[in-house]
Amino acid sequence: MAAKEDADTETNPMDREQGGMGILIVKNIMNEVSYQRLGETNQLTMKKKL
């Protein structure tokens, strides 16, 4: 999930490229996030320590 750079939070939202904030939020909230392609399906695993 680290293939794309994190969204630029310093730039005004009206001036930056659309997209990427959801991924940034998930990466900051969860302890571990991984993605893999398994045949014809996508597998997204998110882990949060409680």
Side-chain angles (χ1 to χ4, degrees):
M1 216 161 146
K4 184 175 179 182
E5 281 188 35
D6 289 342
D8 180 8
T9 58
E10 299 296 319
T11 303
N12 182 323
M14 299 303 287
D15 296 333
R16 70 173 174 246
E17 189 176 321
Q18 186 177 17
M21 290 303 294
I23 293 171
L24 179 64
I25 292 168
V26 169
K27 285 170 62 176
N28 283 309
I29 291 173
M30 304 307 289
N31 295 100
E32 186 179 329
V33 178
S34 65
Y35 165 84
Q36 60 182 334
R37 180 81 176 164
L38 298 172
E40 295 294 318
T41 63
N42 299 317
Q43 180 178 355
L44 177 65
T45 304
M46 298 182 285
K47 295 181 181 180
K48 177 69 179 171
K49 294 179 184 173
L50 302 176

